[in-house]
């Protein structure tokens, strides 16, 4: 009996492709599907945009799953950023019940965030006119992407996003 090695990225691509559109919130797979020798225990997620949609939908959608962890936040508004940091760190600290306190990195510029090697995926919850630029930048940085709708404002932007995501072989969900 032969066994074939399936990379984490290939597994995620085939799994997400089969389940595309099933949920309105980001979909993550538990580390247990990768076996005891998985590349890491959790999918490290960065949240870009920390406003109302991020607080009501995206961060709760990620944070409730043990297989994913929000490790970085980005917003140009320092008050929103501080509020989101308190929310995420507070949640993880309460969940860990006295263990090592959670520390979430914060960024005021998404370009600095995308250079961070410890991030696997990016959730984008910014104003609509930023969606295409952020998705393209994240895909070019080798990150997988979840973005709120609308994806783009023009067909040209939509084609650019599609071409970039396909060329980079990024996992992508709207």
């Amino acid at each position: 009996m032969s066994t074939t090695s399936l990379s984490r990225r290939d597994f995620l691509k085939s799994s997400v492709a089969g389940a595309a559109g099933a949920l309105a919130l980001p979909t993550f797979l538990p580390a247990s599907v990768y076996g005891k020798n998985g590349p890491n225990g959790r999918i490290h997620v960065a949240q870009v945009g920390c406003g109302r949609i991020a607080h009501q939908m995206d961060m709760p959608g990620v944070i409730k799953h043990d297989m994913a962890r929000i490790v970085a936040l980005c917003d140009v508004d320092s008050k929103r950023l501080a509020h989101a940091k308190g929310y995420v760190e507070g949640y993880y600290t309460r969940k860990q019940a006295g263990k090592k306190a959670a520390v979430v990195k914060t960024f005021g510029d998404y370009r600095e965030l995308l250079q961070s090697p410890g991030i696997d995926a990016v959730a984008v919850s910014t104003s609509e006119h930023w969606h295409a630029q952020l998705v393209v930048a994240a895909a070019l940085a080798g990150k997988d992407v979840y973005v709120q709708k609308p994806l783009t404002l023009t067909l040209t932007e939509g084609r650019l996003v599609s071409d970039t995501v396909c060329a980079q072989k990024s996992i992508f969900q709207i």
Side-chain angles (χ1 to χ4, degrees), residues 125-139:
S125 310
T126 60
S127 300
E128 298 88 28
H129 65 277
W130 280 101
H131 289 182
Q133 182 173 339
L134 288 166
V135 170
V136 167

Side-chain angles (χ1 to χ4, degrees), residues 16-134:
V16 170
L23 296 173
L25 296 175
T27 304
F28 297 99
L29 300 171
S32 61
V33 300
Y34 307 120
K36 64 181 180 179
N37 298 322
N40 60 32
R42 291 193 172 102
I43 299 170
H44 293 158
V45 179
Q47 175 67 50
V48 179
C50 298
R52 180 181 53 84
I53 297 297
H55 276 281
Q56 291 178 354
M57 297 180 68
D58 295 341
M59 289 191 294
V62 171
I63 214 167
K64 71 180 181 180
H65 296 285
D66 288 335
M67 73 291 283
R69 184 173 188 89
I70 297 174
V71 297
L73 301 164
C74 181
D75 201 295
V76 295
D77 185 327
S78 61
K79 290 181 182 178
R80 284 183 178 180
L81 190 57
H83 185 260
K85 182 177 174 69
Y87 168 75
V88 173
E89 287 181 349
Y91 176 86
Y92 288 135
T93 300
R94 286 188 303 278
K95 187 172 181 179
Q96 294 174 356
K99 295 180 185 172
K100 183 180 174 188
V103 177
V104 176
K105 293 180 185 177
T106 58
F107 298 87
D109 187 332
Y110 74 91
R111 293 168 290 208
E112 292 175 23
L113 176 139
L114 293 176
Q115 293 175 2
S116 180
I119 296 170
D120 301 315
V122 177
V124 178
S125 310
T126 60
S127 300
E128 298 88 28
H129 65 277
W130 280 101
H131 289 182
Q133 182 173 339
L134 288 166

